[in-house]
Amino acid sequence: MHSIKLRGEWCKACRICIQICPRRVYVQGKEPNAKGYKVTKVERLEDCTGCKLCELMCPDLVITVEDAEESN
Ligand code: SF4
Ligand code: SF4
């Protein structure tokens, strides 16, 4: 399984990742970060294909997707 790291303190809750993920891995979380934004949450990690579209499209560099081999 791939792993996803989210630097939640940088998220601005723009929802681009939620809308762009073809597998609907993300949902908007309920917990605000220090800036008051409700940080994206990984809801269905098992459905992630590792395409990294979310990592490429996040304007705030919040997301890092690691391949299964790298994360062990
Ligand atoms: S694209 Fe980045 S900044 Fe926007 S909601 Fe997703 S993680 Fe947050
Ligand atoms: S790597 Fe692809 S499938 Fe996985 S969460 Fe990001 S956009 Fe969705």
Side-chain angles (χ1 to χ4, degrees), residues 13-70:
C14 68
R15 301 176 61 93
I16 289 174
C17 55
I18 297 171
Q19 289 165 7
I20 208 145
C21 174
R23 303 302 297 268
R24 299 183 180 273
V25 167
Y26 297 112
V27 296
Q28 186 159 36
K30 292 188 168 55
E31 296 300 320
N33 62 14
K35 293 175 194 154
Y37 296 113
K38 290 181 180 170
V39 176
T40 289
K41 202 175 105 183
V42 176
E43 181 82 351
R44 288 172 284 273
L45 182 60
E46 67 276 14
D47 289 344
C48 175
T49 60
C51 71
K52 301 195 180 183
L53 207 53
C54 53
E55 183 179 309
L56 286 169
M57 296 303 290
C58 173
D60 292 286
L61 307 175
V62 173
I63 304 171
T64 305
V65 179
E66 293 184 343
D67 296 332
E69 305 82 63
E70 290 171 4

